Amino acid sequence: MSAGTAADGPKLGDAARAVWGKTDRKGTSPVGWLPLWRHLADAADVAGQLWDHWLGPAVRRRIADELPGGDADGRTLAVWIAGVHDIGKATPAFACQAHALAERMRDHGLDYQRDLIRADRRYAPHATAGQIVLAEWLQDRGWTDPHPYAVIVGGHHGVPPTDEGLDNVRLRRHLLGDPAWQRVQGELLTWMTERSGAGDRLADWNDVSLSQPVQAALTGLVIVADWIASNEKYFPYVLDSTDTDRLHTGWDLLDLPVPWQPAAPPPSVDERFATRFALPAGAVPRPVQRTVAELAATMPVPGMMIVEAAMGEGKTEAALAAVEIMAHRTGASGCYLALPTRATSDAMFGRMLSWLRRLPDTQVGRGDRDVRLAHGKAALNPEYDTLRTTSLPSGIDQDAGGTNIGVHRWLAGPKRTLLSSFVVGTIDQLLFAALRAKHLVLRHLGLAGKIVVIDEAHAYDVYMNRFLGRALEWLGAYGVPVIVLSATLPANRRAELMEKYDNGRLGPLPRPTWRDRGKPRVDPYAPLRTDLRYPLVTVSTADRGATAVSCADSGRGVEVQVRSLADDVPALADLLRDRLTDGGCALVVRNTVARVQETAAALRAALGPDTPVSVAHSRFMAVDRAAKDRWLRDTFGPPGEGSRPHRHVVVASQVAEQSLDIDFDLLVTDLAPVDLVLQRIGRLHRHPRDGRPARLTTPTCWITGADWTTEPPQPVSGSRRVYQPATLLRSAAVLLPHLDGTPLRLPSDIAPLTQSAYGDAPLGPPSWQPTMLEAEAKQRDEITAKELKADGFRLPEVAEPGVPLTGWLSGGVGDADERVAQGHVRDTDAESLEVLLLVRTPDGLTLPAWIDGGGVPVPTASLPRWPLPRMIARCTLPLPRSMTAADVIDDVIADLERRHDLGAWQDDPWLAGELVLDVDVDGAATVAGFDLHYDPTEGLRVTRATT
């Protein structure tokens, strides 16, 4: 094929035109291959379009601010580096992979020793070879250190080369080619340099110490450009059109959404909330919401805001209002809302959609606003699935606000989770930004143009916080504004979060030298560690440190009686029988699923049919869990919603403490860390309600799950497995005065209790101290061990400007899927394992009969027809940790794999790689020595099989 068939083919020699870049894997091309020059030109042109029409202003500014020519330089650099990204393909190491095409190149003077090249080519993947070729070409033009730029080429397949990898190529120069190859490499580089307009800029760029965040963002942009330009649907392997026509045809087919350009928010806080949220008639912003909105308009940006306020004070709406204000100030073109769990993410997704539909844009007729729900089972969310499976509409009116919303098909592809403009997901997606994994730069590129909101910040353990701290450093370095929300954030944690962000935003503090000996070190975050005001909004200052602003609460204060209760089911049954005599709804929170199920069974037997007992925990099928959450919200939600029963008891695990707007008359909870106890109390008398039974008009929380007759109290074994004993004991110590009769005043007691429990001062009576000191010493040792374990896969700190990303991801988790990656950012000794629950009948497998569309036969020898794969996927069920511990998980997986041959399912995106747990019609099964029983109202029970 002659490259000259292109209407405006480049002025290259025959040898350069002969270098192949792509081969047709689908068999749809009439010629079977694409010249390298054509692919480089496509990638360069796509990069220009991405810069002009897709990349948000904040990311463009972050790149352009480091270059002497500003935005014009940023665009030119992006186009040029994308246009040379595959220069490593102009080497014998790459060309020999297609023998016929390599022989054609040999005919044009590009010779190579076939056997020698094939023996060594593994040392020179084309990205690594490309970094060396580009770096040496720049050095020939007077550059002192080209690797901060050349590493973008080296990393365009998701992992920057290591120094060892680069040395392996340098020691085998034959892999890069002889002088004839070098002339072609130089010819292609010179051609693209002139084509992109970079020829006059290289000398000035040589003086720029490109920062690591900019290197990463440009690498991500090059990957996106490369993936688009490599898609034969958009850029087919034909040369029958001009560059311009080819680009416009492909770009129009791709039809990427343009970035959000926020309009100026209404000047009045009242008007802003009235137009963005569905407030009740006559409602006005609460004091914390007003404070957040006012500070978002005046605080330094980029910066961090930490909002601490009681449950139900409207922190989410305050954060969304701040997102709009900060986006207008910074040029951010979207947001990421990070939550602790899938369930809380699903609940937040609907709230975000409601807000987005009221959100205006400065660009009339801008097109679609793309959204993403980011967790492993997002497609099971009905709202998200509707958006995902319908075509995107277009059109938006600036004045009225609101927008059409959809999920862009290309952006919803693998590894592109954070590239959509508006994303709701689990905290894992943010923690992954600090995990050394392939294609990490795509996560960074997605986050770099957003406002990041971290909800329920108190809910993350030591291990996760280690990754969160490093992620905040990188967000600060990118200039990403961050909003942190919590009802119960320890003061030390408040200071740590702000310090980590500032280390990225301003660079780490210089290490002390011998000259600093004897000088007192000033801690700019010291005031944050002792500030006990509440509610509190803390914001960055121009320099290190922060400003904390207290605001009034909303006047919804309540006094809660706190009482201890023996960890004895008869005592619990007597309490509920007495307090629910005249009716009422009680919530019993247990720290383990096993205790939930045991307690519920015992209470049913003790209380009889007049007092219904339900359970809520995480060990349900996805479809049943969603139905359970809806039932909880509808039955125990705000007044006027649903039909509240006369008398009911719900026994729940920790699922009841996070982001569920539920309201109970009485609370019984296992002893837990004090911040979580306070979260649970937030479900007690949550809303003003007429007609509460007379015995339940005083909000009362009973704390059990411990032996209160010992000193100190001894938490039950299940709680000690879930939480650190030292944390439980400090919780008991700060609650002790309230157990003795002093009412707990909310929200005013939230901050003192939380700060005392997580502070360093001794707590509790003298008789408790030996046990507490021993527990705290053990906890410190375990924290140190967990931090060291986390650091094994954690991303390095942001280095000094000019340090290339070479070796950046060395020793990481590679191309791990999200399930494996999640195991590296969460503190667990056991893997997570989910199965698909189906029912075994004499005629084969069926969907569970109790779900919508249930009872349908499920074929295993063939691929189920649509929509059956989606219905099967809704039957996802998590197995307990007892079945996923290191000593049993292999046997569990092997047993499940032996039960059914699912080879026919492996081409279906919903079913590939899944395991099936088949239960009989009574819900029973035995797997690898475990007896399992599933019930749609009780969930999964697991016990060791009797031998």
Side-chain angles (χ1 to χ4, degrees):
M1 181 186 70
S2 170
T5 56
D8 58 348
K11 296 179 180 179
L12 293 169
D14 289 342
R17 290 169 177 265
V19 178
W20 69 273
K22 295 282 183 182
T23 55
D24 180 22
R25 297 178 181 178
K26 296 184 178 179
T28 57
S29 167
V31 292
W33 66 288
L34 194 71
L36 177 60
W37 70 262
R38 179 66 274 167
H39 176 60
L40 294 179
D42 289 340
D45 293 343
V46 169
Q49 292 291 98
L50 290 171
W51 184 277
D52 293 339
H53 304 294
W54 177 74
L55 205 61
V59 185
R60 295 203 308 267
R61 187 181 305 122
R62 180 66 183 86
I63 296 170
D65 282 350
E66 294 194 5
L67 300 170
D71 188 79
D73 255 8
R75 185 187 193 280
T76 301
L77 175 57
V79 170
W80 173 69
I81 204 72
V84 300
H85 78 281
D86 264 351
I87 192 61
K89 289 183 175 180
T91 60
F94 179 83
C96 73
Q97 295 178 94
H99 177 67
L101 297 176
E103 289 301 301
R104 185 178 182 279
M105 293 167 60
R106 191 199 296 269
D107 293 342
H108 288 87
L110 299 177
D111 202 1
Y112 64 99
Q113 300 178 52
R114 180 179 177 184
D115 292 339
L116 178 61
I117 297 298
R118 288 194 168 185
D120 287 349
R121 67 166 303 274
R122 68 184 184 279
Y123 292 108
H126 75 267
T128 303
Q131 178 170 339
I132 293 175
V133 169
L134 178 60
E136 292 180 351
W137 184 80
L138 290 170
Q139 285 171 332
D140 290 342
R141 278 147 187 78
W143 280 49
T144 51
D145 182 12
H147 283 283
Y149 293 79
V151 75
I152 299 168
V153 168
H156 83 267
H157 275 282
V159 179
T162 62
D163 287 322
E164 181 183 6
L166 294 171
D167 288 341
N168 281 334
V169 179
R170 294 189 185 104
L171 291 172
R172 298 168 177 84
R173 302 294 304 187
H174 56 279
L175 295 172
L176 300 178
D178 60 21
W181 287 89
Q182 294 167 23
R183 284 192 294 273
V184 165
Q185 293 159 5
E187 186 178 356
L188 288 167
L189 289 171
T190 300
W191 161 69
M192 181 52 67
T193 301
E194 297 306 318
R195 184 183 189 274
S196 63
D200 297 334
R201 306 304 306 144
L202 291 182
D204 288 337
W205 294 347
N206 179 32
D207 298 327
V208 174
S209 296
L210 212 60
S211 71
Q212 288 192 330
V214 169
Q215 294 174 46
L218 284 169
T219 305
L221 185 65
V222 168
I223 291 173
V224 173
D226 181 28
W227 285 0
I228 294 171
S230 298
N231 190 315
E232 294 177 49
K233 176 183 176 182
Y234 308 133
F235 294 92
Y237 292 2
V238 293
L239 302 176
D240 59 357
S241 61
T242 66
D243 287 352
T244 300
D245 289 344
R246 182 176 172 86
L247 173 63
H248 287 168
T249 299
W251 187 257
D252 290 346
L253 284 171
L254 177 63
D255 194 25
L256 282 180
V258 298
W260 172 45
Q261 297 179 20
S268 161
V269 175
D270 292 71
E271 183 183 356
R272 192 174 305 145
F273 276 78
T275 56
R276 302 296 186 263
F277 307 106
L279 301 179
V284 296
R286 293 181 173 138
V288 69
Q289 295 174 327
R290 193 176 300 278
T291 300
V292 166
E294 291 169 350
L295 288 174
T298 58
M299 64 178 283
V301 287
M304 174 184 278
M305 171 184 286
I306 302 174
V307 183
E308 299 169 66
M311 300 69 73
E313 286 292 291
K315 294 188 294 295
T316 297
E317 287 74 19
L320 293 176
V323 165
E324 182 182 4
I325 296 166
M326 291 182 181
H328 180 67
R329 296 181 62 199
T330 64
S333 51
C335 64
Y336 179 65
L337 307 181
L339 293 107
T341 65
R342 292 177 187 170
T344 53
S345 301
D346 283 339
M348 183 62 72
F349 186 68
R351 296 172 72 179
M352 185 187 75
L353 292 181
S354 176
W355 169 68
L356 279 179
R357 292 186 174 106
R358 296 178 171 88
L359 198 62
D361 193 293
T362 60
Q363 185 178 347
V364 177
R366 63 174 301 284
D368 322 306
R369 187 159 296 153
D370 58 307
V371 299
R372 183 83 185 263
L373 178 59
H375 62 65
K377 303 300 177 184
L380 302 181
N381 178 291
E383 287 182 296
Y384 181 71
D385 192 48
T386 299
L387 295 172
R388 197 177 59 87
T389 55
T390 55
S391 59
L392 279 168
S394 61
I396 178 173
D397 187 289
Q398 174 191 359
D399 297 323
T403 184
N404 297 304
I405 299 168
V407 178
H408 190 275
R409 196 171 296 273
W410 190 87
L411 292 176
K415 302 187 178 183
R416 305 164 206 168
T417 301
L418 297 179
L419 294 181
S420 294
S421 297
F422 296 89
V423 187
V424 175
T426 58
I427 188 67
D428 304 279
Q429 300 295 334
L430 181 57
L431 302 183
F432 292 160
L435 179 69
R436 298 199 304 273
K438 190 174 184 181
H439 292 114
L440 176 65
V441 291
L442 292 178
R443 293 190 183 277
H444 281 216
L445 179 64
L447 289 168
K450 292 181 172 60
I451 312 290
V452 171
V453 179
I454 302 169
D455 198 5
E456 309 265 14
H458 52 272
Y460 309 125
D461 57 42
V462 171
Y463 200 82
M464 297 167 72
N465 281 329
R466 195 74 172 167
F467 282 92
L468 179 58
R470 186 53 48 83
L472 288 175
E473 290 179 34
W474 280 87
L475 291 176
Y478 281 110
V480 173
V482 175
I483 303 167
V484 177
L485 308 179
S486 178
T488 51
L489 190 67
N492 275 333
R493 188 70 190 134
R494 178 198 306 150
E496 288 169 4
L497 293 174
M498 192 64 72
E499 183 177 9
K500 294 296 185 185
Y501 184 81
D502 277 355
N503 284 345
R505 180 175 68 112
L506 304 171
L509 284 169
R511 297 184 183 277
T513 67
W514 63 270
R515 294 186 179 88
D516 299 307
R517 289 177 184 171
K519 296 180 181 178
R521 293 206 69 182
V522 176
D523 179 6
Y525 308 97
L528 299 185
R529 304 181 199 277
T530 56
D531 196 333
L532 301 185
R533 294 175 294 169
Y534 193 86
L536 192 68
V537 183
T538 307
V539 296
S540 298
T541 54
D543 298 318
R544 293 182 192 279
T547 297
V549 178
S550 181
C551 55
D553 60 50
S554 62
R556 301 184 308 132
V558 63
E559 286 193 351
V560 177
Q561 299 293 325
V562 183
R563 298 287 182 264
S564 62
L565 180 69
D567 189 56
D568 178 72
V569 172
L572 175 60
D574 289 343
L575 171 71
L576 294 174
R577 190 180 296 111
D578 174 66
R579 295 305 172 106
L580 301 182
T581 298
D582 301 323
C585 299
L587 173 64
V588 179
V589 182
R590 298 304 208 191
N591 289 339
T592 66
V593 174
R595 277 175 63 81
V596 169
Q597 295 172 330
E598 293 164 3
T599 301
L603 288 178
R604 287 194 189 96
L607 299 178
D610 291 337
T611 305
V613 178
S614 301
V615 300
H617 54 75
S618 59
R619 214 175 293 164
F620 281 93
M621 287 195 315
V623 61
D624 291 339
R625 170 75 185 275
K628 180 74 70 172
D629 286 349
R630 286 194 300 272
W631 174 78
L632 283 170
R633 289 192 296 267
D634 292 345
T635 308
F636 305 103
E641 296 185 11
S643 177
R644 191 175 179 89
H646 171 67
R647 182 186 295 111
H648 205 104
V649 176
V650 174
V651 187
S653 67
Q654 293 89 335
V655 300
E657 74 192 24
Q658 294 176 338
S659 296
L660 279 175
D661 188 4
I662 50 179
D663 173 21
F664 287 88
D665 305 311
L666 174 69
L667 174 66
V668 180
T669 174
D670 281 350
L671 177 65
V674 73
D675 51 326
L676 303 186
V677 171
L678 293 169
Q679 289 286 330
R680 297 170 187 183
I681 290 176
R683 276 63 189 157
L684 175 65
H685 288 222
R686 184 179 180 91
H687 296 288
R689 186 182 297 277
D690 296 329
R692 292 193 195 271
R695 293 170 183 258
L696 302 174
T697 54
T698 299
T700 305
C701 170
W702 296 79
I703 298 184
T704 184
D707 182 354
W708 295 103
T709 65
T710 64
E711 290 197 3
Q714 176 76 355
V716 296
S717 59
S719 296
R720 298 198 306 272
R721 287 195 300 270
V722 176
Y723 304 113
Q724 283 284 351
T727 304
L728 294 174
L729 291 177
R730 291 186 69 87
S731 177
V734 298
L735 290 171
L736 192 59
H738 303 287
L739 295 173
D740 289 339
T742 303
L744 185 66
R745 295 168 300 139
L746 299 179
S748 57
D749 283 340
I750 289 177
L753 286 174
T754 302
Q755 310 317 333
S756 294
Y758 287 95
D760 298 324
L763 293 174
S767 59
W768 294 23
Q769 296 314 302
T771 303
M772 294 189 72
L773 288 173
E774 180 183 354
E776 288 170 1
K778 183 178 179 181
Q779 177 174 272
R780 284 193 296 271
D781 291 342
E782 292 187 6
I783 287 173
T784 299
K786 289 174 180 178
E787 288 177 345
L788 289 173
K789 182 182 175 184
D791 290 350
F793 295 99
R794 196 170 58 137
L795 194 65
E797 296 176 345
V798 183
E800 293 291 322
V803 176
L805 292 178
T806 304
W808 192 46
L809 304 180
S810 177
V813 300
D815 198 14
D817 62 26
E818 290 199 357
R819 183 183 66 83
V820 173
Q822 187 181 67
H824 288 292
V825 299
R826 287 184 180 260
D827 178 21
T828 175
D829 296 325
E831 294 188 49
S832 61
L833 184 63
E834 294 182 324
V835 295
L836 301 173
L837 188 143
L838 299 175
V839 177
R840 183 179 63 255
T841 71
D843 297 324
L845 298 179
T846 68
L847 289 177
W850 60 85
I851 69 172
D852 288 343
V856 175
V858 175
T860 56
S862 61
L863 187 63
R865 297 181 62 182
W866 185 257
L868 190 52
R870 183 175 64 185
M871 298 172 70
I872 297 171
R874 296 169 64 215
C875 299
T876 300
L877 173 69
L879 296 183
R881 292 180 63 179
S882 60
M883 295 184 70
T884 63
D887 60 334
V888 298
I889 188 170
D890 290 341
D891 292 339
V892 170
I893 292 174
D895 195 344
L896 292 170
E897 288 178 336
R898 279 194 297 267
R899 299 162 89 94
H900 300 282
D901 179 3
L902 302 177
W905 288 14
Q906 301 314 303
D907 291 332
D908 186 275
W910 293 84
L911 304 178
E914 299 289 349
L915 297 169
V916 166
L917 169 63
D918 56 316
V919 298
D920 62 24
V921 292
D922 295 321
T926 299
V927 177
F930 292 90
D931 287 335
L932 290 75
H933 184 268
Y934 188 85
D935 181 275
T937 60
E938 300 301 304
L940 179 68
R941 290 179 178 270
V942 177
T943 57
R944 284 281 188 177
T946 56
T947 57

